[in-house]
């Protein structure tokens, strides 16, 4: 049986606006610290402290056993990079994927996860010092593909209309669109129905739901400079490009409205 899509109440949407704003602020704060010499663990620790200091809790920490506040992925790492001792170097690109929970009642002692509350989820890819023109183009097109997708995020359209916008933009630039990982609903759980692919697939398992006012979804293009194919690393988390070329990631949580979608993960930028 397919998971039910949760349509949010006005009260729930307001909590998600608060969670989204904090998540976006944490992403921006992390991006401001990106420089040659900093370790991915130092970035992660700074964002952890930032979220706690502003009344939230990191949504990713302990989720499915993940050990960090943020997924921090460098160069050919597409997603789910584990923060650690790696020092960023001039010419690298680094993706920061982060979530924050607002309005939670406490932390479950067994799981380490927040009890209750609502989540925001967003990501971006950033240059470390001076980067190549091709890396700049990859980052730019990845973000552009997000905007191309959400132009179609209108009540009455279907999820595949978002997918088509992302895929068309990225592939027109000659880049590969990751198939194995997709966007998703967001709410009282970090991952809810529906799945939001970045490509169009006929007869997709889970169907092709129609977009409805007050749906909240994360749209997150994961775009490779070369092949779309991936490889899973032995740590069980990190996902890399199969050909070793760079990858970029851009994501926001959005609200479906009667008109244009509202970006929930914004902090005034």
């Amino acid at each position: 049986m397919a998971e039910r899509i949760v349509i949010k109440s006005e009260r729930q949407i307001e909590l998600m606006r608060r969670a989204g704003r904090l998540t976006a602020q944490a992403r921006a704060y992390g991006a401001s610290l990106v420089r040659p010499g900093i370790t991915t663990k130092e970035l992660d620790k700074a964002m952890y402290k930032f979220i706690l200091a502003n009344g939230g809790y990191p949504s990713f920490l302990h989720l499915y056993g993940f050990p960090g506040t943020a997924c921090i992925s460098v160069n050919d790492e597409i997603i789910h990079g584990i923060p650690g001792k790696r020092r960023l170097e001039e010419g690298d690109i680094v993706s920061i994927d982060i979530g924050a929970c607002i309005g939670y009642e406490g932390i479950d002692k067994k799981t380490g996860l927040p009890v209750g509350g609502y989540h925001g989820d967003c990501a971006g890819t950033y240059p470390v010092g001076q980067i190549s023109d091709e890396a700049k183009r990859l980052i730019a097109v990845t973000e552009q593909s997000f905007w191309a997708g959400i132009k179609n995020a209108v009540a009455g359209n279907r999820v595949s209309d978002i997918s088509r916008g992302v895929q068309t933009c990225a592939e027109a630039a000659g880049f590969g669109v990751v198939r194995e990982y997709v966007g998703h609903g967001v709410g009282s759980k970090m991952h809810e129905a529906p799945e939001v692919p970045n490509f169009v697939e006929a007869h997709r398992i889970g169907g092709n739901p129609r977009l409805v006012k007050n749906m909240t979804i994360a749209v997150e293009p994961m775009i490779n400079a070369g092949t779309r194919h991936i490889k899973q690393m032995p740590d069980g988390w990190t996902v890399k490009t199969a050909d070793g070329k760079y990858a970029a990631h851009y994501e926001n949580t959005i609200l479906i409205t009667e008109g244009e979608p509202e970006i929930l993960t914004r902090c005034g930028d």
Side-chain angles (χ1 to χ4, degrees):
M1 182 181 295
E3 185 181 351
R4 182 175 65 89
I5 296 172
V6 180
I7 307 302
K8 308 304 188 296
S9 68
E10 292 303 319
R11 173 188 161 278
Q12 291 167 335
I13 289 168
E14 188 52 43
L15 285 168
M16 291 199 63
R17 288 191 179 105
R18 290 174 54 203
R21 181 176 177 82
L22 177 55
T23 305
Q25 288 172 333
R27 175 179 59 180
Y29 178 60
S32 76
L33 300 176
V34 168
R35 65 182 186 276
I38 195 169
T39 68
T40 56
K41 185 65 175 178
E42 287 169 340
L43 277 177
D44 191 73
K45 187 174 181 180
M47 289 184 283
Y48 171 80
K49 290 181 176 179
F50 180 89
I51 292 172
L52 290 185
N54 286 278
Y57 193 81
S59 299
F60 293 175
L61 185 59
H62 306 305
L63 183 64
Y64 314 124
F66 189 74
T69 286
C71 299
I72 304 180
S73 308
V74 183
N75 296 340
D76 62 337
E77 297 173 349
I78 306 167
I79 51 172
H80 300 166
I82 298 174
K85 296 179 180 179
R86 181 173 185 167
R87 293 191 181 278
L88 299 181
E89 298 180 1
E90 185 88 11
D92 287 344
I93 64 173
V94 57
S95 298
I96 297 173
D97 184 3
I98 193 161
C101 183
I102 284 288
Y104 61 97
E105 300 167 10
I107 305 301
D108 187 290
K109 292 182 179 179
K110 290 184 178 180
T111 65
L113 296 173
V115 178
Y118 284 81
H119 300 270
D121 188 7
C122 66
T125 302
Y126 307 98
V128 183
Q130 295 298 314
I131 62 173
S132 69
D133 288 343
E134 182 66 4
K136 290 177 184 177
R137 191 170 80 92
L138 174 64
I139 292 172
V141 169
T142 300
E143 180 172 349
Q144 288 164 12
S145 70
F146 167 85
W147 296 106
I150 72 160
K151 282 182 181 178
N152 303 320
V154 177
N157 280 357
R158 292 191 180 273
V159 166
S160 63
D161 294 309
I162 298 174
S163 308
R164 184 174 294 104
V166 173
Q167 181 177 15
T168 300
C169 178
E171 291 184 347
F175 295 144
V177 179
V178 170
R179 303 300 205 263
E180 292 83 357
Y181 295 88
V182 298
H184 51 89
V186 186
S188 61
K189 298 178 181 177
M190 172 51 71
H191 297 110
E192 297 183 347
E195 291 190 342
V196 185
N198 296 307
F199 64 99
V200 178
E201 180 182 40
H203 311 300
R204 180 174 176 83
I205 295 173
N208 184 21
R210 196 173 295 280
L211 301 174
V212 178
K213 180 184 175 184
N214 289 6
M215 284 174 63
T216 49
I217 56 176
V219 178
E220 51 175 322
M222 291 157 271
I223 308 300
N224 298 345
T227 179
R228 69 175 178 82
H229 297 292
I230 68 169
K231 57 182 177 182
Q232 180 73 57
M233 301 311 291
D235 62 22
W237 284 104
T238 310
V239 179
K240 290 188 175 186
T241 60
D243 58 8
K245 292 186 177 181
Y246 281 9
H249 186 192
Y250 187 80
E251 174 185 22
N252 282 303
T253 303
I254 69 170
L255 169 70
I256 305 300
T257 73
E258 291 179 339
E260 294 182 355
E262 178 183 341
I263 308 294
L264 297 177
T265 42
R266 273 195 163 166
C267 55
D269 55 348

